[in-house]
Amino acid sequence: MRKILIIGVLILTSTAAFSQGAYKPINLGTFDRKVYHFGFLLGFNSADVYIDRKSDFASQDSLLSLNSKNQSGFNLGIVAAYHFNKNISVRFLPTLSFEDRVLNYVFYAGPDSTTRYEKRIESTYIDFPINFKFRTDRLRNSAFYALAGGRYRINMQSEKDVKNEVADKILVKTDNNDFAVEFGGGVDLYLQYFKFGIELKMVVGVKNLLIPEATQFSNPLESLRSRTLLISFTFEG
């Protein structure tokens, strides 16, 4: 997740420096007069989870540690934007998101001995985000913006109905519906034939996704909430 954050900041910083360079002709001079714009997005994500442990977690002496490890994925989506004026707009971005998350468990197995398990939570989401976008005036062929909003998510790869029987194959089950809030910012670049956007966004789930089960992997957990860092590239005509 840190790598994507650093890459995103570097891209936005270098873009800002580039946009302040030598004189350039105005591209797409009438672009902002349109009320509607459509396009598509490509993105990369780093997915993780917030882990809330049960209050008696410390007393479960067979479980020595539990943590999560973020995983990389990608996103494909459509952009539909309605502009209230040149500085404020609302966007609907139905997206297909491929996200994986990993939980790492370490159990006590005897003197000087431990057993480790890696439990992967694989997800293919259909996302329905709605964002409010607050943009600066154009600086020749660029403009900077902040955004905030929320999304409803459906996991098409949920394994909530799988039977857990063998320890090595036991799954940490999660619900197939999620709600999340999101916030971030970016830069719009007006190119000769289309508007190209680069944005960095954090998506934080507000729903407990955990499906409780009487397994050694679910018992220590109170809740799991999704967390995703996105860097997206938008193309609008």
Side-chain angles (χ1 to χ4, degrees):
M1 187 169 290
R2 288 182 180 178
K3 290 181 180 179
I4 286 188
L5 180 60
I6 292 172
I7 291 172
V9 171
L10 288 176
I11 290 175
L12 294 178
T13 302
S14 60
T15 302
F18 178 78
S19 67
Q20 303 301 320
Y23 175 85
K24 297 179 180 63
I26 296 294
N27 295 326
L28 304 176
T30 62
F31 189 91
D32 292 333
R33 297 178 189 175
K34 298 179 182 178
V35 177
Y36 297 97
H37 286 108
F38 299 93
F40 65 95
L41 70 85
L42 302 173
F44 300 94
N45 66 68
S46 179
D48 199 357
V49 286
Y50 289 106
I51 300 174
D52 291 326
R53 300 174 177 86
K54 291 182 178 177
S55 57
D56 61 347
F57 172 77
S59 66
Q60 301 172 24
D61 55 4
S62 63
L63 178 59
L64 301 179
S65 70
L66 166 60
N67 58 68
S68 64
K69 181 172 66 174
N70 60 290
Q71 302 290 295
S72 299
F74 65 95
N75 306 68
L76 302 169
I78 298 171
V79 178
Y82 173 81
H83 302 271
F84 298 104
N85 54 49
K86 66 179 182 179
N87 299 112
I88 302 176
S89 61
V90 61
R91 302 190 305 172
F92 178 52
L93 306 101
T95 305
L96 185 63
S97 302
F98 299 90
E99 301 177 8
D100 286 353
R101 296 167 172 85
V102 169
L103 299 177
N104 290 314
Y105 295 80
V106 180
F107 290 93
Y108 175 80
D112 302 320
S113 177
T114 60
T115 303
R116 297 175 181 270
Y117 293 98
E118 182 179 274
K119 295 300 175 180
R120 183 175 295 271
I121 302 173
E122 299 180 345
S123 305
T124 302
Y125 285 106
I126 297 179
D127 288 342
F128 300 97
I130 296 179
N131 293 165
F132 286 93
K133 181 177 177 180
F134 307 93
R135 204 199 71 179
T136 66
D137 290 338
R138 281 184 64 162
L139 305 173
R140 299 205 64 79
N141 289 322
S142 64
F144 297 88
Y145 62 87
L147 55 85
R151 67 175 61 197
Y152 170 63
R153 322 188 73 191
I154 302 175
N155 184 7
M156 305 301 292
Q157 201 174 346
S158 175
E159 297 172 314
K160 57 186 293 185
D161 296 323
V162 174
K163 292 184 178 181
N164 281 328
E165 296 175 346
V166 182
D168 287 337
K169 297 182 180 180
I170 287 178
L171 301 173
V172 177
K173 296 184 183 181
T174 56
D175 199 349
N176 59 355
N177 296 296
D178 193 11
F179 300 92
V181 296
E182 52 190 85
F183 52 89
V187 58
D188 282 331
L189 301 177
Y190 293 79
L191 306 182
Q192 186 173 0
Y193 299 109
F194 61 91
K195 185 176 72 172
F196 176 58
I198 307 171
E199 68 183 41
L200 189 65
K201 184 162 54 179
M202 177 64 77
V203 182
V204 180
V206 297
K207 179 181 178 181
N208 178 12
L209 297 177
L210 178 68
I211 297 177
E213 288 197 321
T215 70
Q216 65 189 108
F217 304 106
S218 291
N219 280 336
L221 299 172
E222 185 68 37
S223 69
L224 294 175
R225 291 184 296 118
S226 61
R227 175 175 59 184
T228 311
L229 183 65
L230 298 173
I231 181 168
S232 301
F233 305 95
T234 60
F235 305 79
E236 297 179 56

